[in-house]
Amino acid sequence: MGACARERRRPNVFFIIIDDLNDWVGCLGGHPQARTPNIDRLAMRGVLFTRAYCTAPLCNPSRTSLLTGIRPSTSGIYENDQPWYSVFAPEATLPGFFKSNGYSAIGGGKIFHHQNRRVWSTRFKKRGYPSPQEPAHRFRGDPSLESLQWAPTDAEDWQTEEGKLVSFVRKAFARPQKRPFFLAVGTYRPHLPWYVPRKYFEQFPLDSIQLPRVREDDLDDV
């Protein structure tokens, strides 16, 4: 079998990761007001895992564990300020493995918590997110909640960071590839701050919002 025929048999891989997404989506029976038609359609086309757990409750150790297959208890990476590449070689990561085995490794958005250019053949660079046109709302009084900010912006979808990322991915799919590709895309939202186009805020008038149920004694056993 010729080299070209072997290359055609190697499938392209499309990897999607979403930052801070919980189970409040339609396919998991989440919050009744959540509108997630695209995620629901994707779930119907594949395998939906309803019992999935992360290895650490922080971005960096959790993502490092997912992308290397090594638990934090083995790697020692428990905090967000520990670069994964101080422990692992790029080839030991999922995209690095594909790259070292003849794939074009294309990355866009938040894949790792700490980026390393040696992992990728091509990478989308973060462009920034439009700032709100009015002061951001935030929780006050508790220092641990000060970073929780939200505000509507007057940007269009295509002007947001996620919109630019989608454009990058569409162009990557359309571009002729000499090698099979591993294409990884990671959206930053719904990670804070929640600056989104105004039309999405307007879909949910304040007096219509259903707050989640919280047990009054929920913290008694902590």
Side-chain angles (χ1 to χ4, degrees):
M1 183 183 297
C4 292
R6 287 197 299 270
E7 285 297 303
R8 283 197 296 268
R9 295 187 60 182
R10 304 176 72 185
N12 294 322
V13 179
F14 186 34
F15 178 88
I16 304 173
I17 186 168
I18 304 174
D19 206 7
D20 273 9
L21 181 69
N22 59 27
D23 61 356
W24 288 13
V25 292
C27 58
L28 292 174
H31 194 283
Q33 290 183 294
R35 303 173 185 175
T36 57
N38 294 322
I39 291 178
D40 298 343
R41 282 198 297 269
L42 180 63
M44 290 179 63
R45 295 178 59 186
V47 178
L48 176 65
F49 294 89
T50 59
R51 295 179 66 87
Y53 307 91
C54 65
T55 55
L58 284 175
C59 293
N60 187 44
S62 179
R63 286 169 179 264
T64 299
S65 178
L66 174 68
L67 294 164
T68 63
I70 303 298
R71 291 178 294 186
S73 56
T74 300
S75 68
I77 296 181
Y78 286 103
E79 303 292 342
N80 277 343
D81 60 356
Q82 296 175 269
W84 60 265
Y85 45 81
S86 64
V87 176
F88 298 99
E91 296 77 15
T93 67
L94 182 60
F97 175 83
F98 277 100
K99 182 182 177 182
S100 62
N101 283 275
Y103 273 67
S104 178
I106 307 170
K110 185 176 181 181
I111 311 300
F112 295 91
H113 186 74
H114 295 278
Q115 305 302 335
N116 186 302
R117 68 180 64 181
R118 293 171 56 197
V119 171
W120 307 105
S121 308
T122 304
R123 174 163 174 77
F124 168 82
K125 295 181 180 179
K126 184 176 178 179
R127 308 288 179 84
Y129 202 92
S131 299
Q133 302 299 313
E134 55 192 64
H137 308 285
R138 68 181 68 199
F139 292 98
R140 300 184 185 279
D142 185 341
S144 65
L145 301 178
E146 279 292 306
S147 61
L148 298 179
Q149 302 180 29
W150 70 97
T153 76
D154 292 325
E156 299 294 332
D157 286 342
W158 63 270
Q159 295 175 305
T160 67
E161 189 172 324
E162 286 72 30
K164 296 172 183 177
L165 180 59
V166 168
S167 178
F168 167 83
V169 172
R170 293 180 66 178
K171 291 178 182 177
F173 269 115
R175 187 181 305 115
Q177 301 286 342
K178 296 181 179 179
R179 296 181 292 168
F181 64 76
F182 171 78
L183 173 57
V185 55
T187 65
Y188 286 86
R189 303 300 178 275
H191 194 286
L192 56 84
W194 300 297
Y195 300 156
V196 298
R198 189 175 302 275
K199 63 181 179 181
Y200 295 109
F201 278 92
E202 292 175 347
Q203 292 179 15
F204 301 97
L206 286 178
D207 58 0
S208 71
I209 293 176
Q210 300 178 33
L211 296 178
R213 296 178 61 184
V214 178
R215 292 176 50 138
E216 293 185 3
D217 63 347
D218 194 36
L219 295 178
D220 289 354
D221 58 350
V222 174

